[in-house]
């Protein structure tokens, strides 16, 4: 059930988190544009549209959209094959229209078939990648573009060989600034009087201190001074003509070019899958366990890509790195994504010279903490304790994401999960039944012998449809196996929805290992009261 929210209800926390995401997104937009062989401002345009337009249209409370590293290879090849950036923009526009159509035919529901262990494995893998990719930037070694999440890099290196290359390119000033920034980020919220200043996020303090520190190095003629190559590098238009050249429009004359349509379909499919994966991940991060309508999300992404293409921007997706940073910064609603887009727009037009003084080492420090929280060792321990059917898909996804890329990693995890389910279905039949009900009646949800992650969509829909002040019985008496995903849904329903909406809940026949209330037959008419 998706509730209407007031965008301005949590403005303090949303502004602070939007500011953090802006700082993270700025170099990512530029780096991805550079790696894609596109104009640098095309990445900024995509970030602005992803923040303001998609942020407004989306129902996700945490997701942040923008140019995606997963599309760089596709974009680079497409621009070369199509012969011009204008022709490529036409392919992006068509891709947006395809995504819009996918939203209307409800293709977004496929996200419900991504099992939790695969999503968590993807997030942990991305966390490790972020850490490994940001270490070189923290040492002042920046040949690989910001935002790269692939094992094999465009500069001929890979994630691990890049680390060994640092030895010959250590920049002491960058190390000092990275350490100072990490100190601010870690200890800011541990000092009582500082953590009360909600409108000044520690990331902003770290950026300001790093700029001042580097300016001191420069003015004093110190060898610690960080040179231009290791700072944010945003183009600074100086004339009206240069501003006009920022906006590039699609070449509609290439509409009959078959290559344009092939690129469009490729972008639409890859961007949609990456978006759905990120939306599922962002819903997992949400402490309030609000569910996003993925069909609405596909429509929002489609409109975003249409607008971006008309203004000369890159194709976009919902992006895990930005979304994770948004969550860790304390975002409460999608207002933070909108604020990040507004800040991108205003700052690149008003203060580009100041932005170009930000050391990449500081932004690396911000992302290092984001990566650590995604790849928390407790997550690995958690899935290990859940048994091999949960752990193997998790660790396979985790490893494949680190050593290949996001899509290949998730694909491997999905294949292993499906094999496990098919193996289980050979032994146990599955049947799910939900009785018809009206307000005031008792709602019965009977789980059959086996409930796998493939049943997640139906059960999520059923729980979301339960009205306020209801009486609900969830019966697992005949159930032999319940997937971890389904148990999570039921636990979240019990702990959050039931309490918030005065739903009286009774759980019957659940095993003790599931850590849910186990109500016996003799207590058939006693409900678990949900106290507000």
């Amino acid at each position: 059930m998706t509730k209407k929210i007031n965008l301005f209800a949590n403005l303090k926390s949303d502004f602070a988190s939007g500011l953090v995401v802006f700082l993270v997104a700025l170099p990512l937009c530029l780096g991805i544009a550079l790696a894609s062989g596109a104009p640098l401002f095309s990445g900024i345009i995509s970030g602005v549209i992803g923040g303001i337009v998609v942020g407004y249209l989306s129902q996700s409370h945490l997701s942040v959209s923008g140019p995606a590293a997963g599309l760089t290879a596709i974009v680079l090849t497409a621009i070369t094959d199509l012969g011009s950036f204008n022709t490529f923009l036409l392919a992006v526009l068509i891709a947006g229209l395809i995504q819009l159509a996918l939203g209307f035919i409800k293709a977004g529901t496929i996200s419900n078939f991504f099992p939790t262990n695969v999503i968590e494995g993807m997030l942990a893998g991305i966390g490790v990648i972020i850490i490994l990719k940001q270490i070189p930037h923290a040492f002042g070694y920046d040949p690989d573009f910001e935002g790269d999440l692939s094992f094999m890099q465009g500069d001929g290196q890979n994630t691990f060989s890049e680390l060994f290359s640092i030895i010959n390119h250590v920049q002491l000033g960058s190390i000092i600034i990275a350490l100072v920034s990490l100190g601010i980020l870690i200890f800011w919220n541990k000092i009582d009087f500082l953590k009360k200043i909600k409108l000044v996020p520690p990331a902003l303090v770290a950026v300001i201190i790093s700029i001042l520190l580097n300016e001191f190095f420069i003015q004093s003629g110190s060898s610690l001074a960080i040179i231009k190559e290791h700072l944010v590098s945003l183009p600074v238009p100086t004339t009206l003509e240069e501003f006009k050249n920022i906006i590039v429009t699609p070449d509609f004359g290439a509409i009959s070019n078959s290559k344009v349509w092939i690129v469009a379909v490729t972008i639409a499919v890859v961007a949609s899958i990456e978006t759905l994966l990120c939306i599922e991940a962002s819903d997992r991060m949400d402490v309030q366990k609000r569910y996003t309508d993925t069909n609405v999300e596909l429509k929002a992404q489609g409109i975003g890509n249409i607008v971006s293409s008309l203004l000369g921007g890159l194709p976009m997706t919902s992006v895990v790195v930005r979304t994770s940073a948004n969550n860790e910064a304390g975002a409460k609603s999608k207002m933070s994504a909108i604020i990040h887009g507004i800040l991108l727009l205003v700052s690149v037009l008003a203060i580009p010279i100041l932005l170009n003084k930000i050391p990449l080492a500081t932004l690396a420090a911000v992302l290092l903490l984001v990566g650590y929280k995604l790849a928390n060792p407790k997550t690995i321990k958690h899935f290990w304790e859940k048994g091999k059917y949960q752990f193997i898909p998790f660790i396979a996804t985790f490893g494949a994401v680190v050593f290949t890329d996001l899509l290949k990693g998730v694909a491997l995890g999905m294949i292993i999960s499906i094999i496990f389910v098919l193996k289980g279905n050979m032994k146990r039949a599955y049947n799910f039944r939900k009785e018809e009900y009206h307000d005031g009646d008792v709602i019965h949800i009977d789980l059959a012998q086996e409930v796998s992650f493939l049943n997640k969509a139906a059960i999520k829909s059923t729980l979301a449809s339960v009205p306020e002040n209801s009486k609900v019985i969830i019966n697992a008496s005949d159930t032999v196996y319940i997937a971890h995903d389904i148990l999570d849904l039921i636990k979240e329903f019990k702990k959050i929805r039931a309490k918030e909406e005065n739903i009286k809940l009774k759980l019957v026949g659940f095993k003790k290992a599931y850590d849910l209330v186990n109500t016996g037959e003799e207590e058939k008419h006693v409900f678990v009261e949900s106290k507000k």
Side-chain angles (χ1 to χ4, degrees):
M1 182 179 290
T2 303
K3 294 183 179 180
K4 291 184 178 180
I5 60 167
N6 178 1
L7 285 177
F8 299 96
N10 302 288
L11 195 56
K12 285 185 179 180
S13 56
D14 285 340
F15 183 82
S17 55
L19 187 56
V20 172
V21 180
F22 154 70
L23 293 171
V24 169
L26 179 62
L28 298 186
C29 289
L30 295 170
I32 290 167
L34 182 65
S36 302
L40 289 181
F41 263 110
S42 65
I44 298 295
I45 292 169
S46 179
V48 171
I49 301 302
I52 300 174
V53 177
V54 178
Y56 178 76
L57 296 175
S58 170
Q59 290 184 356
S60 175
H61 299 275
L62 295 178
S63 169
V64 183
S65 297
L71 295 175
T72 52
I74 296 171
V75 174
L76 182 61
T77 304
I79 293 174
T80 304
D81 289 347
L82 297 176
S84 74
F85 186 63
N86 301 69
T87 306
F88 169 74
L89 290 177
L90 178 62
V92 178
L93 189 150
I94 296 170
L97 291 171
I98 293 172
Q99 286 186 296
L100 196 57
L102 289 173
F104 278 109
I105 64 173
K106 301 189 182 302
T109 53
I110 66 170
S111 68
N112 290 306
F113 300 109
F114 299 141
T116 299
N117 51 3
V118 171
I119 297 297
E120 294 286 356
M122 177 192 78
L123 287 174
I126 288 174
V128 169
I129 292 173
I130 291 172
I131 292 170
L132 295 175
K133 294 286 190 181
Q134 293 305 316
I135 289 174
H137 295 297
F139 278 81
Y141 183 54
D142 306 298
D144 189 34
F145 73 92
E146 283 280 0
D148 186 10
L149 294 179
S150 296
F151 182 72
M152 298 304 299
Q153 299 177 177
D155 61 359
Q157 302 274 13
N158 62 52
T159 302
F160 292 106
S161 67
E162 189 88 347
L163 295 176
F164 292 106
S165 299
I166 294 173
I167 298 171
N168 299 320
H169 301 88
V170 173
Q171 216 286 331
L172 189 56
S174 292
I175 295 175
I176 291 172
I177 283 180
L179 290 174
V180 169
S181 300
L182 276 173
I184 293 170
L185 294 168
I186 292 170
F187 295 109
W188 182 271
N189 287 326
K190 294 184 178 181
I191 300 173
D192 290 337
F193 78 92
L194 289 178
K195 65 183 179 182
K196 294 178 182 178
I197 310 174
K198 299 292 186 182
L199 274 177
V200 184
L204 178 61
V205 178
V207 166
I208 293 171
I209 296 296
S210 68
I211 291 174
L212 293 175
L213 191 55
N214 192 45
E215 284 298 306
F216 171 75
F217 291 156
I218 293 171
Q219 296 302 322
S220 63
S222 172
S223 60
L224 298 175
I226 300 176
I227 59 176
K228 182 180 178 182
E229 286 73 14
H230 306 298
L231 305 174
V232 169
S233 183
L234 182 67
V236 183
T238 56
T239 65
L240 183 60
E241 191 62 30
E242 288 180 355
F243 269 109
K244 289 180 180 178
N245 291 335
I246 291 174
I247 306 298
V248 183
T249 55
D251 178 11
F252 291 97
I255 192 71
S256 60
N257 186 341
S258 60
K259 289 184 178 179
V260 169
W261 288 88
I262 293 171
V263 170
V265 171
T266 303
I267 291 173
V269 171
V270 175
S272 297
I273 292 173
E274 288 205 11
T275 290
L276 294 177
L277 285 168
C278 183
I279 290 299
E280 193 68 15
S282 68
D283 284 354
R284 293 293 307 162
M285 295 177 199
D286 188 1
V287 294
Q288 297 181 52
K289 299 304 173 189
R290 296 164 291 188
Y291 299 137
T292 301
D293 187 328
T294 48
N295 296 310
V296 172
E297 185 65 30
L298 285 180
K299 294 174 188 176
Q301 294 289 334
I303 293 171
N305 277 321
I306 291 169
V307 176
S308 181
S309 68
L310 292 172
L311 296 175
L314 289 175
M316 71 186 71
T317 71
S318 178
V319 185
V320 174
V321 177
R322 293 175 179 82
T323 302
S324 302
N326 194 34
N327 177 59
E328 294 302 334
K332 301 295 184 185
S333 77
K334 63 183 183 178
M335 189 63 185
S336 61
I338 297 172
I339 288 170
H340 122 273
I342 294 171
L343 289 174
L344 269 178
L345 176 62
V346 172
S347 61
V348 298
L349 295 178
I351 53 170
I353 295 175
L354 180 59
L355 295 178
N356 284 344
K357 294 181 181 293
I358 301 175
L360 294 177
T362 297
L363 302 176
V366 175
L367 289 171
L368 281 170
L369 284 186
V370 171
Y372 173 75
K373 290 179 180 178
L374 283 176
N376 194 315
K378 290 181 181 178
T379 305
I380 299 175
K381 182 183 177 184
H382 169 76
F383 281 99
W384 173 260
E385 292 172 347
K386 291 294 179 182
K388 64 180 180 180
Y389 291 109
Q390 286 297 314
F391 182 73
I392 293 176
F394 165 82
I395 205 68
T397 305
F398 170 82
V401 166
V402 172
F403 288 101
T404 58
D405 58 40
L406 185 150
L407 292 182
K408 291 186 180 71
V410 170
L412 178 62
M414 287 292 295
I415 290 169
I416 294 173
S417 295
I418 290 170
I419 290 171
F420 284 167
V421 169
L422 293 176
K423 183 179 177 182
N425 282 343
M426 290 178 187
K427 301 176 182 178
R428 297 181 290 267
Y430 168 75
N431 181 41
F432 175 79
R433 180 176 62 86
K434 176 173 72 72
E435 291 185 8
E436 296 292 327
Y437 61 83
H438 303 285
D439 289 355
D441 294 344
V442 176
I443 300 164
H444 296 270
I445 301 174
D446 299 322
L447 304 182
Q449 281 188 310
E450 179 173 324
V451 188
S452 72
F453 72 86
L454 295 175
N455 309 113
K456 183 177 175 181
I459 294 177
K460 182 189 283 189
S461 175
T462 300
L463 294 178
S465 301
V466 173
E468 296 183 6
N469 306 312
S470 301
K471 295 180 179 179
V472 180
I473 298 175
I474 302 178
N475 192 335
S477 298
D478 298 324
T479 305
V480 177
Y481 167 78
I482 305 177
H484 181 67
D485 299 48
I486 307 303
L487 290 173
D488 275 353
L489 282 178
I490 295 172
K491 286 177 183 177
E492 290 162 7
F493 179 81
K494 173 178 176 287
K495 292 178 180 178
I496 299 172
R497 278 280 316 285
K499 289 182 179 180
E500 290 181 351
E501 300 182 9
N502 193 34
I503 296 171
K504 296 179 180 178
L505 177 64
K506 175 187 170 188
L507 302 175
V508 178
F510 286 87
K511 299 175 183 177
K512 290 182 179 179
Y514 292 156
D515 193 26
L516 285 164
V517 174
N518 191 33
T519 306
E521 287 298 311
E522 70 277 9
E523 299 173 324
K524 192 166 287 185
H525 301 293
V526 179
F527 288 86
V528 179
E529 291 289 338
S530 301
K531 298 179 181 179
K532 290 189 176 180

